[in-house]
Amino acid sequence: MSESTPRPSSLIHTVYGEFVRRLGGWISIADLIALMAELDVDGPAVRSATSRLKKAGTLLQERRAGTGYRLAPAVEPVFEEGDRRIFHSLEPAGLADGWVVAVFSVPESERAHRHQLRSRLSWLGFGNAAPGVWLAPARLLPDARRLLERLGLSAYVHLFLSAEYAGFADLRTAVASWWDLPAIEAQYAAFTDAWRPVAEQLRDSGGHVEDRRQEPGERLPPRTDPAEAFRAYVPMLTQWRRLPYLDPGLPAQLLPADWNAVPARAVFTELHGLLAEPSLRYVEKVTGLSRPQEHPQESS
């Protein structure tokens, strides 16, 4: 497990993003406290974190069978964007794909917007080439446009697409100064060190076979116990979901030869495959919520 314990609000963010959205979008505070207890977060900490998330506009309080919270509609696009980045991370971009360049100028009287632009472009994976000049692989352009429009910052920014670097410095050297690659590698290394042993343990033990009736001649595949899966999956996903944003997916030619994103992605992919489904079943069991039924299309 990671040496750094995620904050309760980060764990709750993961629970809503990965499970509650798929189960109707609302959960009672009692059920949320029960789930968070499995992650060693006590009730007062859960209530305090949900209060902060409500104040931030992430959650809306709503009474149904009991008091609970649902995601605010305004944050749904944020979670949808997160799905794309977290679960569908692309392979490194190609040099021929080109670059998106963001140039901004903010009046001194509005310097708070300047700080917000810097922090959000950095969060998206942009590198800082010069004051007010940020760039990233061209495929990040749609994400950048959506983010700037959502935050009301588009009036300060000009976006350009460039096919290739035509400067004088060695591009690999320049890239190393525009992005803090050692810091990104440190994050990947921390993730791999924390979670590779968990993947190996599950792989070696075959997990825990679920208790269900075995048909004659049937060999049941090993399955991880849902409660155990939940206890591992939520902290793992919470630690992982930062990384696809910090890593812009630079072309392989511009990265260190031993770029450690590859083994980290392999660990995440394996654990996601092993733990996501039983974790969701555990949430369904605790909350009594269920996934919407899919109805097959009627034949004409």
Side-chain angles (χ1 to χ4, degrees):
M1 296 293 177
S2 173
E3 294 181 358
S4 60
T5 304
R7 293 176 301 171
S9 57
S10 295
L11 294 169
I12 291 171
H13 187 283
T14 298
V15 168
Y16 268 87
E18 178 65 2
F19 306 118
V20 178
R21 282 195 304 153
R22 300 167 65 184
L23 302 175
W26 177 92
I27 185 173
S28 73
I29 187 65
D31 287 341
L32 183 60
I33 288 173
L35 289 174
M36 295 297 289
E38 292 291 337
L39 306 174
D40 298 321
V41 180
D42 61 23
V46 175
R47 292 183 184 277
S48 177
T50 52
S51 178
R52 288 194 300 272
L53 290 169
K54 176 185 174 183
K55 186 177 295 185
T58 301
L59 298 180
L60 296 177
Q61 189 171 348
E62 184 177 289
R63 187 169 184 83
R64 296 187 184 179
T67 299
Y69 293 89
R70 65 180 176 90
L71 284 174
V75 302
E76 282 289 350
V78 180
F79 280 86
E80 291 168 2
E81 178 184 292
D83 288 344
R84 292 190 293 271
R85 294 291 288 265
I86 295 165
F87 300 108
H88 305 289
S89 296
L90 301 174
E91 293 300 313
L95 275 176
D97 297 342
W99 304 88
V100 54
V101 180
V103 180
F104 65 82
S105 177
V106 181
E108 182 62 25
S109 60
E110 301 179 53
R111 56 181 177 272
H113 290 319
R114 185 185 308 142
H115 172 74
Q116 190 178 20
L117 276 166
R118 290 169 179 162
S119 63
R120 299 314 294 172
L121 288 173
S122 178
W123 173 251
L124 271 183
F126 277 67
N128 187 200
V133 180
W134 294 70
L135 77 161
R139 68 188 182 197
L140 291 186
L141 174 61
D143 286 349
R145 291 186 64 90
R146 282 190 292 264
L147 178 73
L148 294 169
E149 289 170 353
R150 186 167 67 244
L151 296 178
L153 297 173
S154 57
Y156 300 100
V157 185
H158 298 284
L159 297 172
F160 302 89
L161 284 176
S162 173
E164 62 183 79
Y165 176 71
F168 300 97
D170 173 69
L171 182 55
R172 184 168 179 171
T173 302
V175 160
S177 69
W178 298 338
W179 279 272
D180 190 349
L181 298 181
I184 298 173
E185 286 195 293
Q187 295 263 7
Y188 276 126
F191 179 87
T192 304
D193 290 345
W195 296 104
R196 178 182 278 157
V198 178
E200 291 173 347
Q201 181 182 13
L202 287 169
R203 194 185 312 135
D204 293 342
S205 68
H208 297 275
V209 178
E210 288 183 288
D211 182 17
R212 76 170 177 85
R213 185 179 301 277
Q214 184 173 356
E215 299 298 330
E218 179 189 16
R219 295 183 61 189
L220 292 179
R223 301 281 186 181
T224 303
D225 174 76
E228 292 182 3
F230 179 83
R231 286 193 290 269
Y233 183 62
V234 174
M236 185 277 295
L237 181 56
T238 301
Q239 185 176 356
W240 173 261
R241 60 185 173 86
R242 278 179 52 83
L243 292 171
Y245 285 91
L246 297 178
D247 180 1
L250 294 168
Q253 302 96 312
L254 305 179
L255 294 170
D258 57 350
W259 184 242
N260 59 6
V262 176
R265 285 194 193 104
V267 169
F268 170 74
T269 300
E270 181 175 8
L271 286 174
H272 175 66
L274 289 169
L275 302 176
E277 178 59 27
S279 295
L280 180 58
R281 291 200 304 274
Y282 179 72
V283 175
E284 290 178 310
K285 178 181 178 181
V286 169
T287 64
L289 301 171
S290 58
R291 285 166 272 191
Q293 294 294 318
E294 294 184 1
H295 300 288
Q297 293 182 348
E298 297 181 1
S299 57
S300 56

